[in-house]
């Protein structure tokens, strides 16, 4: 599933083609996604797109009438294309613009979503209880320490909990914990403030680097393949179970934690 950096680069890629453009049509070919796609043609046609934002892994396309909430799911992609581009299999939704382009949503597995919210998006059930964005000042060691206080759950599971901080998925949780020298099974509530300070800094640095790498790896959302995928970057632990640690040379361990593959170095990462 695309993680926060992949979704952010998607936002950066499509926003210049959408902002201040007028919507002239919304074509829904298959509304059976993760949740049924609402028929919002009357609400959105004629509206000007004011901005394209991201909250966690959701993309928010704002108009004066309301906000489209888009999630890529496990296999979704968004592309900017000429309006007469032939439709292919799994092209479920087209947002048609007055400038002759379309925003096309393709999703083979249909775990993605396209919803509508006329209230402030913070009130939407999918967004209302989300934690802070990791790349903002709202995610800091004081906030994290308070959220983890008394928790016996493994730190990696807490780091992937969207109520504590959003967007730190499996790949970047593995990488941040390795960089901070923290064992993924460490009891969250017992990690001292010094180590949490390092962890916050590593989360921010690793996510920011991934976004920067994506910005240089995938610049073109106007071609036939706008899928973000995962960016070409050096991963120290994720996907490297049984290989040697890039720091100490020890063999990396691989376990299942919260039904997700977790890789760590038993020497560099301590409880």
């Amino acid at each position: 599933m695309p993680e926060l950096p992949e979704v952010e680069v998607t936002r950066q890629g499509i926003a210049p083609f959408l902002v201040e453009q007028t919507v002239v049509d919304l074509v829904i070919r298959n509304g059976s996604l993760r949740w049924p796609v609402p028929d919002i043609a009357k609400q959105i046609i004629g509206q000007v797109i004011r901005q394209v934002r991201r909250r966690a892994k959701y993309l928010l396309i704002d108009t004066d009438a309301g906000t489209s909430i888009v999630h890529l799911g496990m296999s979704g992609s968004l592309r900017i294309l000429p309006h007469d581009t032939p439709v292919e299999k799994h092209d479920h939704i087209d947002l048609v613009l007055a400038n002759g382009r379309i925003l096309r949503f393709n999703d083979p597995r249909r775990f993605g979503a396209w919803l509508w919210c006329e209230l402030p998006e913070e009130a939407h059930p999918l967004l209302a209880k989300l934690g802070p964005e990791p790349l903002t000042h709202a995610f800091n060691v004081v906030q994290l320490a308070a959220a983890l206080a008394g928790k016996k759950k493994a730190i990696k599971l807490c780091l992937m909990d969207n109520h504590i901080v959003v967007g730190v998925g499996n790949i970047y949780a593995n990488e941040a914990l390795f960089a901070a020298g923290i064992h993924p099974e460490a009891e969250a509530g017992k990690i001292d403030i010094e180590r949490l300070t390092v962890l916050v800094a590593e989360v921010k640095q690793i996510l920011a680097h991934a976004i920067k790498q994506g910005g240089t790896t995938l610049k073109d959302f106007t071609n036939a393949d706008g899928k973000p995928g995962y960016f070409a970057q050096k991963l120290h632990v994720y996907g490297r179970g049984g290989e040697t640690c890039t720091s100490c040379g020890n063999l990396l361990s691989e376990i299942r934690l919260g039904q997700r593959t977790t890789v760590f170095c038993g020497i560099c990462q301590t409880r």
Side-chain angles (χ1 to χ4, degrees), residues 247-264:
S247 179
C248 73
N250 180 51
L251 291 183
L252 298 174
S253 300
E254 182 174 314
I255 60 174
R256 299 287 289 181
L257 189 59
Q259 300 182 340
R260 305 299 296 276
T261 299
T262 301
V263 182
F264 62 94

Side-chain angles (χ1 to χ4, degrees), residues 209-265:
H209 174 75
I211 292 169
K212 182 178 179 180
Q213 184 68 26
T216 58
T217 304
L218 182 63
K219 294 181 178 178
D220 191 359
F221 281 79
T222 63
N223 58 21
D225 184 9
K227 295 183 179 180
Y230 290 108
F231 308 140
Q233 56 187 298
K234 184 177 181 181
L235 298 176
H236 292 280
V237 287
Y238 181 82
R240 299 189 63 244
E243 299 180 28
T244 56
C245 174
T246 56
S247 179
C248 73
N250 180 51
L251 291 183
L252 298 174
S253 300
E254 182 174 314
I255 60 174
R256 299 287 289 181
L257 189 59
Q259 300 182 340
R260 305 299 296 276
T261 299
T262 301
V263 182
F264 62 94
C265 177

Side-chain angles (χ1 to χ4, degrees), residues 9-211:
V9 170
T10 297
R11 186 198 68 78
Q12 294 176 5
I14 65 175
F17 299 94
L18 299 182
V19 175
E20 298 305 321
Q21 294 299 320
T22 301
V23 177
V24 297
D25 200 4
L26 179 69
V27 180
I28 302 173
R29 299 184 189 86
N30 187 345
S32 299
L33 302 181
R34 185 174 182 181
W35 298 285
V37 179
D39 183 5
I40 57 169
K42 290 182 179 179
Q43 290 94 321
I44 200 169
I45 289 176
Q47 291 293 316
V48 175
I49 296 172
R50 299 302 182 187
Q51 59 181 333
V52 181
R53 297 176 293 134
R54 178 192 53 76
R55 181 70 172 106
K57 297 180 184 179
Y58 296 96
L59 290 167
L60 309 177
I61 303 173
D62 292 330
T63 69
D64 292 338
T67 298
S68 293
I69 302 175
V70 181
H71 196 284
L72 299 179
M74 298 182 70
S75 61
S77 66
L78 290 168
R79 294 167 293 164
I80 302 291
L81 301 168
H83 71 91
D84 56 353
T85 301
V87 176
E88 298 181 1
K89 189 176 182 180
H90 310 305
D91 286 344
H92 302 313
I93 300 173
D94 285 351
L95 186 67
V96 185
L97 307 174
N99 63 2
R101 295 181 181 268
I102 58 173
L103 175 68
R104 176 163 287 174
F105 181 79
N106 176 287
D107 187 4
R109 300 185 69 178
R110 290 191 287 121
F111 288 150
W114 190 302
L115 302 172
W116 178 255
C117 181
E118 295 183 358
L119 299 171
E121 81 281 350
E122 295 86 356
H124 193 279
L126 291 176
L127 308 177
K129 297 182 179 180
L130 292 177
E133 290 285 334
L135 295 175
T136 67
H137 294 302
F139 177 57
N140 58 70
V141 68
V142 174
Q143 174 269 334
L144 183 59
L148 299 181
K151 290 190 180 295
K152 297 182 178 181
K153 192 160 62 171
I155 182 60
K156 187 192 174 211
L157 299 182
C158 291
L159 204 56
M160 294 175 63
D161 185 341
N162 278 332
H163 296 95
I164 294 175
V165 58
V166 301
V168 185
N170 194 35
I171 292 176
Y172 300 111
N174 276 276
E175 294 297 308
L177 289 168
F178 173 78
I182 299 174
H183 195 289
E185 293 182 303
E187 191 172 314
K190 291 185 177 180
I191 300 173
D192 62 46
I193 198 73
E194 289 78 12
R195 300 182 84 197
L196 289 181
T197 300
V198 175
L199 179 58
V200 168
E202 292 296 347
V203 167
K204 291 176 180 288
Q205 179 174 322
I206 287 170
L207 290 176
H209 174 75
I211 292 169

